[in-house]
Amino acid sequence: MSNIRITKQFSFETGHALYGYDGKCKNVHGHSYKLSVTVIGQPITDTTNVKFGMVIDFGDLKKIVKEEIVDVFDHATVFNKNTPHVELAKELEDRGHNVLLVNYQPTSEMMVIDFAKKITKRLPQHIKLHSLKLQETDTSFAEWYASEN
């Protein structure tokens, strides 16, 4: 049987600030992120299985990514919890804002590494995460490939 890659695309709005950065991104700002999630596996061959012919039901993949990434990061502001932005984060939280404190600088590169770990933990054993593409702007994105990690 052949290995087949399938991809599902997601979008979410997230704010962040890069502490210590020497450009505009040191300021709190946001992006309309686009996330492409590609998994690889063999289509189900059991003709009695309701998911016969599928690598994974797109709905099942959607559930995983929504719960782990989209529902968590959408309309949140992300800060590295090891920076002075923690004070700003507390102020925002006290005012009812959705704030995420993470263990990394919230760049697209580091976010895509975090996302890969979270998605991989939730996939069925016979399905492997192949790649992620996190697009921050129309012209800028970070990619993660399992074969390189």
Side-chain angles (χ1 to χ4, degrees):
M1 180 58 80
S2 298
N3 278 322
I4 304 295
R5 291 181 292 205
I6 65 163
T7 302
K8 181 118 180 95
Q9 297 176 318
F10 303 86
S11 61
F12 53 95
E13 311 292 326
T14 302
H16 69 156
L18 303 180
Y19 177 73
Y21 182 68
D22 63 354
K24 291 180 182 180
C25 293
K26 68 182 176 187
N27 299 305
V28 177
H29 64 288
H31 298 283
S32 296
Y33 287 98
K34 294 178 183 149
L35 176 64
S36 296
V37 178
T38 302
V39 298
I40 189 167
Q42 295 182 356
I44 296 167
T45 56
D46 177 358
T47 58
T48 65
N49 189 317
V50 295
K51 302 198 181 189
F52 171 64
M54 297 179 180
V55 171
I56 185 174
D57 188 318
F58 281 114
D60 294 341
L61 183 57
K62 178 181 179 180
K63 181 180 188 316
I64 292 167
V65 177
K66 276 187 59 42
E67 288 176 359
E68 293 295 327
I69 312 301
V70 177
D71 292 347
V72 175
F73 283 80
D74 190 37
H75 285 83
T77 305
V78 184
F79 296 108
N80 181 332
K81 74 177 187 179
N82 298 312
T83 69
H85 281 137
V86 173
E87 294 170 19
L88 176 57
K90 177 152 181 26
E91 175 70 23
L92 288 170
E93 282 181 323
D94 289 346
R95 293 175 181 255
H97 290 263
N98 182 10
V99 175
L100 293 177
L101 296 175
V102 295
N103 290 321
Y104 53 83
Q105 180 80 308
T107 62
S108 291
E109 296 89 336
M110 297 304 292
M111 289 170 67
V112 82
I113 292 168
D114 181 35
F115 295 175
K117 291 175 188 171
K118 290 176 177 176
I119 293 168
T120 298
K121 283 194 278 187
R122 293 278 308 272
L123 288 173
Q125 197 166 22
H126 66 285
I127 304 297
K128 302 295 178 214
L129 182 60
H130 176 272
S131 61
L132 295 176
K133 178 180 177 180
L134 182 62
Q135 194 157 346
E136 184 176 279
T137 69
D138 285 342
T139 59
S140 304
F141 57 88
E143 292 181 294
W144 177 96
Y145 286 89
S147 63
E148 298 170 357
N149 288 284

